Structure formats: C-alpha cells, structure tokens
C-alpha cells in the first residue's frame, strides 16, 4: 500500500508516541524543553465510524475495543517498528512509496487499516485538522482528551496554508492592449506551463500599470476579516513584496523586514505591528482557516501541533504554549508559488472583462526546508 511521506509520518508518530508514552514540548526554535512534557495516557482512533479503538500506554500497550482488551503489545515493539519505518521514510525516493513487510504486519496487529480517520463521527468533535486524538496529562497533572495536527519535516517541507483558486488576488492592468495580452499569455516554461515569473518580468519591463482590484473569492475576503480587520491590506502588501522585491521563496522573516521598512499602513510601531499581524495569519492558517470555506475564527485543533523532525525526534506545541508556537511558525515558514495551470490554481494569465484587463497572483504558505 503506497503512501506519501506525510501519511507514513503520521503512522511513525503513532508508533513513537505509544512506545515512549511521553512527548516533550518544543521551544520557538523546535528544540525540546526537558521541563515541559505531555504524558500520553492513550491514543484513540476511529478506523470505522462510531467504532473506537483505544491504545493505552505503558510498558505493555493494551489495545481496547468497547472496553475489552483485544491485544497487548510490548512498548519496545513500537519503538523497534518506529525505527524501521523511519529508515524507510528517510531513504525512499519518489512522492509515494511502500514500506517493509515488517511494518505492514505490525500495522495489522494494531488493527490500523487506514491513515486518515473518518471525516464524521468521533473525530468531528475535535475539528477538521486533527491527525491524532489523545488522552493526555501535562506536567501540571491536567488530564484532557485533545486533538493534535501532525507535520513532518522529511525531505518535502509541508504546507501550512494550501493554495486554492479562491486564494487569488486580482490586479487590473493598465496601458495594455490585446496584442500584449496575447504576448504575455504566450510566455511559457520549457515544459509548456505558464511562466509566472517571466510574465511578471514582462509586465515590469513594459511599465504596465499593475493595481490591486479585489480578492478573487468573497469567502476568503471574509476569512481575512475574521483574522483581523486590516489583514487584507497586510496580505496584499506581503504578496507584492514576495513577487516583486524578494526571491522566489520568501521567508516570512524577510517579508516582515520589508513591511517594517515600507510601513504601508503607516503604523507608529511597525516592528511590533507587522510581526504580530503575520503571526495572526499563520496561527489562523494552522487553526483551520482556508480560502474557500467559511471560517468562524475558532481553532479546529484543541490540543496543539506535533512535529516529526528529520532525526526521528517527535515534539509538541501545546495550545497553552501559544506564543512559542506562533514564533515557531513565524521563523519557519515562507511564501511559495503554486502551480499556475488552469487545471490547478489558474493564475498568472491576462484576461479581459469588458474593456478591462486583469491578472491574478496566488500563493501558498510552506514550511522552510
């Protein structure tokens, strides 16, 4: 059963957490804090809707269904299989790959049939971005059931905010005619795709007017307002810095430096204001805000965020460690330019409405490699 690294990483995290029975908190630089940790009482999965499987930690991990123990497996077996799976993840090539027979057999022993939990049922109680549900006890002895999102840093950096056609920003072009429109739209890459970078260079070289018009989708516009009232203006300025003033993959720390210098909203304390604004955007993206679905401003993850590092270490950001997590997101993310093709996100193409010409820009937010 082939799967991608992110999917196998979720399975690795399950193995590792059940073997260790504890996960340490990370600081803003993704370094373990030995004084802050979460003890894992059990992991709860819903392989079939309304059918819960509980994995209770200890030197022996008991697997329970409907309160009945159906299997008991030494914690050391989980750590052994976690190491085998980690080797596969880090050495395999390609976007999708299979795992060793030993991993498949161990997964069957755990009654795990799928990577993803059902979209309805028990998991729905914890929101839409949870990858794992756990009963936990933190270092202050507070015990809760919480959902966590999992991200891995194996080879391909994961995305925090996924692009959609709805996430496009629309600009009106001035000083252009039909002939130039056709010329711009004919600029393609060696593979025949839309060459967004060369098309923007043409627009700059011809000194065409390039003026912001609107956000493509009203839902995304509303969601920006739910992040904060000035988020549209700030994100517009960030996007223009990314496309016109920094290199292709702009780190958010670099974009912020430009924002502070230019101060487009004329704030008296730009260093504080723009840093906080970008952290607000990143937190909202983590918490469930997308471009195409209405967001109510609430987090869909009540526990926090788990990171599987390249070296196999698994660390957590608990929601109560909010500022450390926000700073981590700020330091570890960048703008990325997704596919511009019509079948994907359909931007970087000149088009007409009436006698006006338009051009869309789009983006996604990805973790730094």
């Amino acid at each position: 059963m082939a799967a991608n690294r992110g999917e196998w990483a979720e399975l690795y995290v399950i193995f590792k957490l059940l073997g260790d029975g504890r996960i340490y908190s990370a600081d803003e630089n993704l370094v373990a804090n030995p004084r802050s940790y979460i003890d894992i009482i059990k992991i709860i999965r819903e392989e079939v809707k309304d059918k819960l499987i509980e994995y209770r930690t200890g030197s022996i991990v008991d697997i329970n269904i409907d309160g009945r123990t159906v299997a008991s497996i030494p914690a050391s077996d989980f750590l052994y299989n976690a190491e085998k799976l980690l080797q596969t993840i880090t050495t395999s090539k390609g976007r999708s790959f299979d795992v060793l027979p030993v991993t498949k057999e161990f997964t069957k022993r755990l009654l795990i049939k799928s990577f993803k939990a059902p979209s309805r049922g028990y998991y729905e109680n914890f929101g839409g971005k949870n990858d794992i549900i756990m009963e936990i006890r933190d270092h202050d002895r507070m015990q809760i059931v919480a959902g966590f999102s999992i991200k891995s840093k194996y080879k391909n950096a994961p995305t925090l905010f996924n692009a959609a056609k709805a996430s496009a920003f629309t600009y009106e072009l001035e000083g252009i005619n039909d002939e130039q429109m056709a010329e711009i739209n004919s600029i393609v890459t060696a593979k025949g795709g839309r060459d967004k970078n060369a098309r923007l260079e043409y627009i700059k070289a011809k000194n065409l007017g390039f003026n912001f018009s609107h956000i493509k989708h009203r839902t995304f516009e509303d969601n920006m307002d739910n992040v904060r009232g000035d988020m549209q203006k700030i994100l517009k300025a960030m996007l223009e810095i990314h496309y016109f003033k920094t290199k292709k993959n702009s780190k958010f720390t670099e974009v912020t430096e430009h924002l502070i210098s230019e101060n487009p909203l004329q704030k008296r304390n730009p260093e504080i204001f723009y840093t906080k604004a970008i952290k607000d955007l990143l937190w909202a993206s983590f918490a469930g805000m997308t471009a195409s679905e209405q967001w109510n401003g609430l987090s869909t993850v009540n526990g926090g965020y788990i990171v599987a590092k390249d070296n196999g270490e698994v660390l957590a950001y608990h929601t109560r460690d909010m500022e450390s997590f926000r700073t981590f997101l700020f330091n570890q993310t960048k703008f990325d330019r997704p596919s511009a093709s019509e079948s994907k996100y359909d931007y970087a193409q000149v088009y007409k409405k009436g006698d006006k010409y338009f051009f869309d820009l789009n983006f996604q937010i990805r973790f730094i490699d």
Side-chain angles (χ1 to χ4, degrees):
M1 62 181 168
N4 62 43
R5 278 182 177 76
E7 291 169 329
W8 288 126
E10 290 184 25
L11 187 62
Y12 169 76
V13 167
I14 291 173
F15 290 178
K16 189 77 165 64
L17 295 185
L18 289 174
D20 288 337
R22 173 177 287 185
I23 182 170
Y24 284 90
S25 299
D27 66 13
E28 61 190 38
N29 297 312
L30 197 55
V31 175
N33 178 356
R35 296 181 302 277
S36 179
Y37 56 83
I38 298 167
D39 282 328
I40 300 161
I41 299 169
K42 60 185 176 184
I43 291 176
I44 306 166
R45 287 185 60 83
E46 188 181 24
E47 292 292 328
V48 179
K49 184 182 175 183
D50 298 329
K51 194 74 170 179
L52 299 183
I53 304 176
E54 297 181 345
Y55 303 83
R56 187 170 291 273
T57 61
S59 58
I60 300 294
V61 176
D62 289 329
I63 303 176
N64 299 328
I65 300 178
D66 296 331
R68 181 174 60 91
T69 300
V70 297
S72 297
I73 302 173
S76 57
D77 286 7
F78 286 88
L79 295 178
Y80 171 81
N81 282 279
E83 183 62 31
K84 289 293 183 183
L85 179 53
L86 179 63
Q87 291 173 7
T88 302
I89 292 171
T90 55
T91 59
S92 295
K93 302 185 183 302
R95 295 177 59 88
S96 182
F97 53 89
D98 208 342
V99 291
L100 296 172
V102 64
T103 302
K104 294 181 182 179
E105 183 58 34
F106 188 65
T107 303
K108 289 179 182 178
R109 288 177 64 193
L110 302 185
L111 308 179
I112 294 176
K113 298 178 181 178
S114 63
F115 295 104
K116 299 295 183 183
S119 58
R120 303 293 179 190
Y122 182 74
Y123 271 58
E124 194 173 39
N125 299 325
F126 296 87
K129 293 192 76 173
N130 293 286
D131 298 311
I132 188 170
I133 306 296
M134 302 189 293
E135 185 174 338
I136 60 175
R137 184 189 301 113
D138 64 23
H139 58 275
D140 288 333
R141 313 306 291 174
M142 181 178 292
Q143 188 166 317
I144 61 170
V145 177
F148 287 76
S149 176
I150 297 172
K151 295 290 184 184
S152 61
K153 296 176 73 67
Y154 303 128
K155 294 191 177 180
N156 298 319
T159 55
L160 180 68
F161 177 88
N162 292 313
K165 290 182 179 180
S167 58
F169 279 58
T170 298
Y171 288 78
E172 182 178 351
L173 295 176
E174 295 180 349
I176 187 174
N177 54 41
D178 286 356
E179 183 179 348
Q180 288 175 310
M181 177 175 71
E183 190 172 352
I184 292 172
N185 291 342
S186 69
I187 300 174
V188 297
T189 65
K191 295 182 178 180
R194 297 176 184 179
D195 194 332
K196 43 192 173 285
N197 302 320
R199 292 181 181 191
L200 285 170
E201 288 298 326
Y202 179 99
I203 290 170
K204 287 192 289 184
K206 297 295 183 181
N207 202 29
L208 302 178
F210 196 79
N211 303 309
F212 176 70
S213 175
H214 60 278
I215 292 178
K216 193 84 170 179
H217 201 284
R218 285 189 176 180
T219 297
F220 189 37
E221 186 175 24
D222 291 342
N223 288 348
M224 289 290 95
D225 288 341
N226 284 337
V227 175
R228 50 188 294 153
D230 47 18
M231 196 68 247
Q232 294 183 45
K233 293 179 181 178
I234 297 169
L235 184 54
K236 166 192 168 293
M238 293 168 63
L239 198 62
E240 291 169 7
I241 289 169
H242 167 59
Y243 272 102
F244 295 107
K245 297 174 184 176
T246 62
K247 58 182 180 289
K248 182 178 177 182
N249 292 322
S250 313
K251 295 179 181 179
F252 275 93
T253 51
E254 297 172 356
V255 172
T256 305
E257 290 175 2
H258 281 270
L259 276 176
I260 292 170
S261 175
E262 296 172 14
N263 197 7
L265 272 63
Q266 297 299 301
K267 296 298 178 179
R268 288 191 297 273
N269 54 349
E271 297 89 351
I272 297 172
F273 178 83
Y274 294 111
T275 301
K276 181 183 182 301
I278 294 177
K279 287 182 178 180
D280 289 345
L281 172 65
L282 297 173
W283 167 254
S285 299
F286 164 75
M289 188 273 295
T290 67
S292 51
E293 294 184 6
Q294 197 74 47
W295 183 56
N296 61 8
L298 302 176
S299 174
T300 60
V301 180
N302 74 325
Y305 179 93
I306 291 173
V307 184
K309 296 174 64 173
D310 290 344
N311 63 1
E313 188 177 22
V314 176
L315 300 175
Y317 287 99
H318 198 283
T319 49
R320 75 176 193 172
D321 301 322
M322 180 75 71
E323 198 50 45
S324 290
F325 182 53
R326 284 162 57 90
T327 301
F328 163 74
L329 292 177
F330 179 74
N331 290 334
Q332 295 294 324
T333 50
K334 64 182 180 180
F335 269 129
D336 190 28
R337 301 179 187 181
S339 169
S341 69
E342 184 176 4
S343 61
K344 292 291 288 184
Y345 306 116
D346 193 20
Y347 71 105
Q349 179 92 344
V350 182
Y351 58 96
K352 287 184 74 173
K353 286 188 175 181
D355 60 351
K356 295 183 177 181
Y357 299 83
F358 297 95
F359 189 93
D360 294 339
L361 296 180
N362 213 327
F363 72 100
Q364 62 189 10
I365 300 173
R366 186 179 293 276
F367 284 90
I368 297 169
D369 296 330

